[in-house]
Each structure stands twice: as C-alpha cells, then as structure tokens.
Amino acid sequence: MNAKIVVGFNETPSASEAVSWAAHEAEVRAIALHVMVCFEVSALSSEASVAWGMTAEYTAAEAAAWTSASKIRSVLAESHPDLTISVDVAAGPAPTALLKGLEPDDLIVVGASGHSSAAAFWTGTTARYLVHNSPCPVVVVRGSASRGAPDRIVVGVDGSHAAGRALQWAGDEADRHGVELVIVHAWSYPYFPMTTAGTQGRDLTRIDAACTLDRAAELARERCGIPVTTLLVENSPVTALVEAAHDGDILVVGSRGRGAVRTRLFGSTANSVLDATAVPIVVVRADPDDEMHDTTNEPHLAQA
C-alpha cells in the first residue's frame, strides 16, 4: 500500500496545527508524510522566470520556501523520528500544487484559520477548492486540534452513497484510534402539523429518519469493533453537526461531487460547517459511479 498524507505548510499557526495533525495521523497509519510549501510571485515575475531565467523576486521567494520546508522537516524528524518525511516547494496557487499526484487512498490536510486572518493563502478558498476537487478525503484543521488521538469520531449520515463512504472512513478511523464512533442524522418536517394528518406525517418522517440512522449504526457495528453511539436530531444539518462535535473530536461528512445543482444546494452546508466548528473536518468524496445511482431524496446531512 503506497498511500500517503499530503499537508500544506506556510508557517502560520493554522498550518503548523495541520502539519502536527498530519504527522500524528501518518504515524498511526504507518504511511509517508509529504509536506508541500507553496509560494506566490507576480504574474510578470513568474512568466519571466520561465522565459528568461529566474528573476530576483522568484529566486528569493523560492529560497524562502525551501528554507521553510527544511525547517519543518527538521522539526518533524525530531518529533517523529520513525516517520518517512518528504518536502517540496511549488510556485503558484496552493490548490494546484496540493492536488498534483493525489490518489484515492491518500489524505490531504490543510489548516484553516478565521476569515480575518492575514494568511488568506491557506484559508477559505484553498480548503473549499480542495473539498470540491480532491480525489481523496480532505482534512481541514482549525484550532488546537493536534494534541494527539481524537476523543471521538463524529459522522453525519443521510442514507446516500456519499454518506456511506463517509461512514466507512469514520468507522475505520475510530477503529484505528480505538475511540467511540458517533453517528448523527438530522431530520425535519417541512410543514406545521396543524391537523391529525399533519401530525401523522411528522411522525412518519421521524420514523423514516430513525430507520436511516439504525441502518447506518448496524453497518458500522458490523465493520468496526469500537463503541457506536447514534444521535437523531430534529434540526438543520449545520446545527446538528456543529452541536454534535465537541473539542477533541474529528467531524466527518460526505460529498456527492460537483454537479451544478448539487453544488448550489449543498455547498452552503459544508461551508457553514467549515466556518462554524473548531474541530478537524474530514470531507470524503463519493465514488463517481455511486453518484450516478444515488437517487435518495432525503434531506442531506453531510454534503459538500
């Protein structure tokens, strides 16, 4: 198995947290860690460096990136002496460099600080681009999340293939760390039950949601040997996920890809979760073949 973890680094606190989290995860998985340091120069400088040789701006930026890469490699080598570590630098947009050469079994990790941060190079845009384009799971680390093994793995389900993939990843991760798996399913009844029929409709909606959650729990218990807890929440998807994940947890959600309609409908949920929670968030992509056959009409809890 040649799986690897790729992590972006730019010397910001959030990037340092991401590297620390990625190193611990790579050590637990016994796989290689690849640290990527990206740098940006003006378009003129970048084009000139290709056409006429390195400009002073380009050369200085590249040298600084290599210095940063060497420093973080030394730090990691000291704190994780048994870990296979490689570093590289690249000019241009971070998402392009981070996505290069990724395989479905890999894991990509980035830090994400608040929107007010001056280090916008690694926040918001990069994380969201990776979530929608990466062939492998994407981990967005924000806050002090690198303290070691997670306390719990929290995953959102909705009966879709994408959620099924997320559930599998979450279960394996919980097994790997020997921690509890918490499965969350949100539901809501879109009408006010003013009549008996309305009340019955709400009850049936809740029963259907409970069945979806029970099926997910059954699959998880068959696959994993760790404790499994379920949460059936009558609330919005974002609220259900954010309130379920506590400090020390890892939150896992599924993504059904980049179809135009789906992106408009479900992008806000993933963006809101990314903005609202301070725990590491893992976005797991569905297989393209699964997406073609995914016809579930349930409210989707864990979409990107």
Side-chain angles (χ1 to χ4, degrees):
M1 182 177 179
N2 296 318
K4 63 184 178 298
I5 295 180
V6 177
V7 58
F9 180 66
N10 68 341
E11 296 192 348
T12 63
S14 61
S16 296
E17 286 290 343
V19 169
S20 183
W21 189 97
H24 180 79
E25 187 70 17
E27 197 167 55
V28 171
R29 293 170 176 245
I31 61 176
L33 176 67
H34 182 69
V35 182
M36 177 65 68
V37 179
C38 300
F39 64 96
E40 289 189 316
V41 293
S42 66
L44 177 60
S45 176
S46 180
E47 292 171 1
S49 67
V50 175
W52 301 295
M54 299 297 178
T55 66
E57 180 187 353
Y58 186 98
T59 302
E62 184 182 39
W66 274 114
T67 298
S68 178
S70 298
K71 286 181 180 178
I72 194 62
R73 182 173 186 171
S74 297
V75 170
L76 290 171
E78 183 175 349
S79 59
H80 301 273
D82 297 325
L83 187 61
T84 300
I85 304 165
S86 62
V87 298
D88 199 4
V89 304
T96 303
L98 290 168
L99 289 174
K100 187 175 181 180
L102 286 179
E103 299 292 339
D105 290 332
D106 295 336
L107 194 64
I108 185 167
V109 184
V110 293
S113 57
H115 293 302
S116 61
S117 170
F121 189 55
W122 286 109
T123 63
T125 303
T126 295
R128 286 171 173 78
Y129 184 89
L130 293 174
V131 161
H132 289 294
N133 291 276
S134 173
C136 67
V138 176
V139 184
V140 181
V141 177
R142 66 188 316 165
S144 299
S146 60
R147 62 188 184 186
D151 295 334
R152 306 179 306 167
I153 308 298
V154 180
V155 59
V157 299
D158 60 10
S160 67
H161 287 292
R165 293 268 180 173
L167 178 63
Q168 290 177 7
W169 194 97
D172 291 346
E173 185 75 354
D175 243 356
R176 186 176 292 116
H177 289 281
V179 298
E180 178 186 11
L181 175 66
V182 180
I183 306 174
V184 182
H185 179 52
W187 71 281
S188 62
Y189 187 64
Y191 311 105
F192 189 78
M194 298 179 64
T195 64
T196 300
T199 300
Q200 291 176 341
R202 181 182 181 280
D203 290 342
L204 289 174
T205 300
R206 187 185 187 284
I207 291 171
D208 187 58
C211 289
T212 296
L213 184 59
D214 288 344
R215 286 194 296 269
E218 182 179 356
L219 290 172
R221 293 187 176 105
E222 290 176 355
R223 184 181 182 93
C224 313
I226 40 80
V228 175
T229 300
T230 59
L231 289 177
L232 185 63
V233 183
E234 185 179 10
N235 214 321
S236 70
V238 174
T239 301
L241 287 170
V242 171
E243 292 186 351
H246 304 152
D247 181 40
D249 295 343
I250 293 176
L251 177 60
V252 184
V253 297
S255 168
R256 291 201 298 170
R258 302 186 64 214
V261 174
R262 285 173 173 171
T263 297
R264 285 197 298 270
L265 289 174
F266 305 121
S268 60
T269 297
N271 291 344
S272 296
V273 171
L274 285 170
D275 292 338
T277 186
V279 304
I281 303 172
V282 184
V283 181
V284 182
R285 291 285 299 275
D287 185 277
D289 292 334
D290 289 343
E291 292 181 38
M292 293 178 61
H293 300 95
D294 193 350
T295 58
T296 179
N297 291 316
E298 298 179 10
H300 290 273
L301 171 63
Q303 303 301 327

